[in-house]
């Protein structure tokens, strides 16, 4: 068969890495090759949604995609997982992925959830859902008299409110649903009657504004809605409104997920225990339902929260300015001297590849995973590209996470950027995230800075890149470097290390400069900083 070589390669990879790692690697390649066909739910966000839902034996995801949400919720005794997706291939991928990652029984079905619900009798403990946004053809006319619309028939432009009511219909009394929602769903006039009824009957418990970059579309600060199927209407209902926008990332590394997670779970659990929350300026407050039942029923948290305390705004900016001055002085001191041309040589040293070095035992090559036993910080591809510390988390699973060690060289395989990072003591011990390859050189044979420096060569990476899809991907095994004696390697390595320090100083100066400019704009606009 034409596919026989591919199947043999997959079997060899599975024998080397294990079934879970092989499946996640192939799934990652598939998603990378078709980025416009799928809307992923990042692992950090999926973990937060599962934690908001709390302990649940029966979990449903009615728009399961590739199973990220169910995977986050599927660990623990007695779990039963239910999923459905309109794309048969995604339903099959979810079933296989969950079978590899959890021992829980999995019931995955293909079909349009709103038009042809595969689990009409289910009453789950929790529903997690990342529904499709802004659908017009969701079945408005055909489903006009559907019994799920207990809070009102959603308008044709309010498909998200149809998913909200479907989630509530599939919960047991007291069960919790967590849905990722576009911010417009909190304020569109066409949905105000349904929002009002969700509030009056105690079904909507919290709206949390996420930072930019939390999930696609990355430029929009999406919301999380936490709902609970009410056994009875609350006597003095209040709703939690929270805004985690302050945890937006400085660069391409995405949000500060540990900060988002800690803060959101803290305010939600405090509110869930007491039914109310003391005001936390700029971050969260519980709002009486009667205060929200105006003509707009606008649930956008930013419009209802008190502004953050303005104390010492000028002092913080003075501190940023001092750090920026210090960093600029450091960058100036680290600026490379004028470059001298290399003397002519009789012949260029022979070249080798990373793949040949791995086969010869000069280095060990590992790929990043998607889970692990230990709860340790995760080094993501965005962290490597932006030069920042580990910012991600991995869901707990049976996989063995790849942990970094000092002297490892980490290379992102997506995006085509010329980056290779040498792990230092501060970064050591982090788990390796997706789309990263770790090279662990044998110290007596290969200098890590020499290796990283030559891997960053633009021409080198160009010849090792693949453009078979819309996403450029790097074949690390094809990257080349010269065969040099250890002493000569260390000479090159020292120069590459100095360049890396200069680059880090420039990056830090850029981040501090952007922070200073943003703080000045905000302070001048809100009156906490004088114009002269």
């Amino acid at each position: 068969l034409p596919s026989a070589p591919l199947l043999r390669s997959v079997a060899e990879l599975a024998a080397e890495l294990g079934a879970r790692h092989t499946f996640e690697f192939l799934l990652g390649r598939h998603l990378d090759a078709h980025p416009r066909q799928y809307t992923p739910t990042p692992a950090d966000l999926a973990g937060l949604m599962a934690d908001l839902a709390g302990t649940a034996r029966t979990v449903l995801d009615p728009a399961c995609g590739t199973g990220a949400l169910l995977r986050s919720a599927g660990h623990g005794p007695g779990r039963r997982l239910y999923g459905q997706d309109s794309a048969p291939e995604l339903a099959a991928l979810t079933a296989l992925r969950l079978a590899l990652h959890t021992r829980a029984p999995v019931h995955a079905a293909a079909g349009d959830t709103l038009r042809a619900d595969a689990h009409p009798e289910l009453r789950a403990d929790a529903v997690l859902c990342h529904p499709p946004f802004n659908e017009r053809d969701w079945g408005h006319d055909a489903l006009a008299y559907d019994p799920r619309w207990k809070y009102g028939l959603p308008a044709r432009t309010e498909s998200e409110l149809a998913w909200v009511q479907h989630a509530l219909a599939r919960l047991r009394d007291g069960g919790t649903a967590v849905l990722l929602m576009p911010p417009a769903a909190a304020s569109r006039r066409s949905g105000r009657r349904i929002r009002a009824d969700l509030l009056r009957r105690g079904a909507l418990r919290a709206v949390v504004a996420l930072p930019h970059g939390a999930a696609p579309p990355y430029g929009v600060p999406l919301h999380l809605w936490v709902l609970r199927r009410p056994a009875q209407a609350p006597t003095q209902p209040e709703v939690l409104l929270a805004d985690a926008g302050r945890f937006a990332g400085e660069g391409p590394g995405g949000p500060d997920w540990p900060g988002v997670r800690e803060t959101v779970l803290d305010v939600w659990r405090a509110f869930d225990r007491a039914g109310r929350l003391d005001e936390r300026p700029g971050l969260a407050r519980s709002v009486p339902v009667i205060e929200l039942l105006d003509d707009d029923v606008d649930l956008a948290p930013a419009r209802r929260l008190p502004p953050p305390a303005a104390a010492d705004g000028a002092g913080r900016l003075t501190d940023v300015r001092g750090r920026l001055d210090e960093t600029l002085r450091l960058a100036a001191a680290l600026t490379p001297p004028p470059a001298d041309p290399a003397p002519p040589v009789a012949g260029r040293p022979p070249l080798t590849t990373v793949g040949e070095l791995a086969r010869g035992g000069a280095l060990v090559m590992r790929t990043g995973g998607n889970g692990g036993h230990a709860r340790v910080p995760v080094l993501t591809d965005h962290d490597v590209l932006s030069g920042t510390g580990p910012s991600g988390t991995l869901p707990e699973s049976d996989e063995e996470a790849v942990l970094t060690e000092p002297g490892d060289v980490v290379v992102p395989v997506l995006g085509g950027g010329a980056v290779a990072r040498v792990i230092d003591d501060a970064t050591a011990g982090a788990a390796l995230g997706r789309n990263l390859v770790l090279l662990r050189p044998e110290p007596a044979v290969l200098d890590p800075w020499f290796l990283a420096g030559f891997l960053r060569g633009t021409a080198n990476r160009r010849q090792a890149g693949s453009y078979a899809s819309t996403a450029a991907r790097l074949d690390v095994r094809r990257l080349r470097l010269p065969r040099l004696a250890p002493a000569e390697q260390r000479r090159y390595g020292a120069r590459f290390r100095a360049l890396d320090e200069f680059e880090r100083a420039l990056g830090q100066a850029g981040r501090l400069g952007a922070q200073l400019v943003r703080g000045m704009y905000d302070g001048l606009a809100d009156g906490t900083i004088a114009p002269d």
Side-chain angles (χ1 to χ4, degrees):
L1 294 174
S3 58
L6 175 61
L7 295 175
R8 278 196 295 270
S9 298
V10 171
E12 292 170 0
L13 188 63
E16 178 184 352
L17 301 179
R20 294 187 186 93
H21 282 293
T22 301
F23 179 84
E24 292 297 333
F25 170 75
L26 294 174
L27 177 61
R29 292 294 297 268
H30 177 69
L31 298 178
D32 295 338
H34 305 88
R36 297 183 181 179
Q37 295 182 19
Y38 307 103
T39 303
T41 306
D44 295 300
L45 176 58
L48 174 61
M49 293 173 67
D51 286 341
L52 285 169
T55 303
R57 287 183 171 272
T58 305
V59 184
L60 167 68
D61 183 351
C64 60
T66 57
L69 289 170
L70 289 174
R71 182 185 173 192
S72 293
H75 300 285
R79 295 287 198 278
R80 296 193 306 277
L81 307 178
Y82 294 81
Q84 184 170 352
D85 199 277
S86 58
E89 66 276 11
L90 289 181
L93 281 173
T94 291
L96 179 56
R97 189 181 195 187
L98 294 175
L100 289 169
H101 286 282
T102 178
R103 297 178 181 177
V106 179
H107 308 271
D112 186 320
T113 295
L114 295 181
R115 289 187 174 92
D117 183 12
H119 310 291
E121 304 303 321
L122 179 65
R123 294 298 177 265
D125 297 317
V127 175
L128 303 176
C129 187
H130 178 174
F133 296 162
N134 302 317
E135 281 193 324
R136 296 300 178 94
D137 185 24
W138 59 268
H140 174 271
D141 296 334
L143 300 173
Y145 300 101
D146 195 287
R148 288 172 291 183
W149 315 145
K150 292 185 177 180
Y151 301 88
L153 172 64
R156 193 182 304 275
T157 57
E158 294 287 352
S159 62
E160 296 87 5
L161 294 182
W163 287 96
V164 164
Q165 295 192 73
H166 173 82
L168 287 167
R170 294 296 161 264
L171 286 172
R172 64 166 176 81
D173 287 348
T176 302
V178 183
L179 282 82
L180 185 66
M181 301 284 280
S187 56
R188 280 189 300 238
R189 289 188 63 81
S190 54
R192 65 188 186 277
R193 291 184 179 177
I194 293 177
R195 293 196 299 271
D197 209 28
L198 289 169
L199 292 171
R200 289 191 192 97
R201 297 167 66 175
L204 183 59
R205 305 300 298 134
V207 177
V208 179
L210 296 170
H212 290 84
Y218 291 108
V220 177
L222 301 176
H223 289 177
L224 288 178
W225 285 24
V226 183
L227 303 110
R228 187 160 286 159
R229 180 171 173 133
Q232 58 185 16
T235 55
Q236 293 180 329
E238 295 194 7
V239 175
L240 174 67
L241 299 182
D243 189 346
R246 66 173 65 176
F247 298 103
E250 296 278 341
D256 171 15
W257 277 112
V260 173
R261 180 187 182 87
E262 179 181 358
T263 301
V264 171
L265 291 178
D266 177 52
V267 297
W268 163 248
R269 288 166 179 167
F271 170 78
D272 195 35
R273 285 192 301 268
R276 62 179 307 279
L277 181 78
D278 292 335
E279 187 175 281
R280 303 188 186 184
L283 181 61
R285 65 177 287 224
S286 58
V287 182
V289 164
I290 192 66
E291 186 177 321
L292 298 169
L293 295 177
D294 54 18
D295 289 341
D296 295 323
V297 197
D298 191 338
L299 306 179
R303 295 172 187 162
R304 303 283 180 174
L305 297 181
D312 204 28
R316 284 189 299 105
L317 292 182
T318 300
D319 178 63
V320 172
R321 174 61 186 269
R323 292 163 57 200
L324 177 59
D325 288 342
E326 181 181 347
T327 304
L328 289 174
R329 286 193 296 270
L330 176 62
L334 293 172
T335 302
D340 296 326
V345 294
R348 299 181 64 85
L351 297 176
T352 186
T353 66
V354 169
E356 291 172 350
L357 291 171
R359 287 192 293 272
L363 58 83
V364 175
M365 186 172 174
R366 302 288 301 276
T367 57
N370 291 269
H373 294 293
R375 288 288 186 177
V376 297
V378 175
L379 188 68
T380 69
D381 53 347
H382 293 300
D383 298 331
V384 176
L385 292 169
S386 59
T388 55
S391 66
T393 58
L394 289 178
E396 189 170 351
S397 74
D398 294 334
E399 293 183 39
E400 288 293 337
V402 179
L403 301 182
T404 58
E405 297 179 2
D408 289 344
V409 177
V410 177
V411 183
V413 296
L414 289 183
V419 176
R421 180 168 175 177
V422 179
I423 299 299
D424 56 17
D425 291 334
T427 316
L432 195 69
R434 272 190 61 201
N435 302 320
L436 292 175
V437 171
L438 180 145
L439 305 175
R440 183 165 292 161
E442 182 63 37
V445 179
L446 201 55
D447 181 80
W449 288 101
F450 163 80
L451 173 63
F454 274 96
L455 296 189
R456 290 191 58 169
T458 303
N460 190 12
R461 298 178 72 94
R462 187 181 297 124
Q463 66 85 30
S466 170
Y467 302 94
S469 70
T470 55
R473 191 173 188 94
L474 184 70
D475 185 352
V476 177
R477 293 178 181 272
R478 293 170 54 191
L479 289 169
R480 299 181 297 185
L481 61 157
R483 292 182 180 272
L484 296 177
E488 190 68 7
Q489 289 184 32
R490 288 191 288 272
R491 282 186 60 216
Y492 275 98
R495 190 64 182 270
F496 285 136
R497 186 168 191 166
L499 286 173
D500 180 79
E501 292 176 354
F502 175 59
E503 183 180 39
R504 286 173 182 263
L506 288 179
Q508 177 70 358
R511 288 188 289 271
L512 289 171
Q515 186 178 348
L516 179 63
V517 169
R518 186 174 60 250
M520 290 294 295
Y521 271 113
D522 291 345
L524 288 168
D526 62 23
T528 58
I529 295 176
D532 51 8

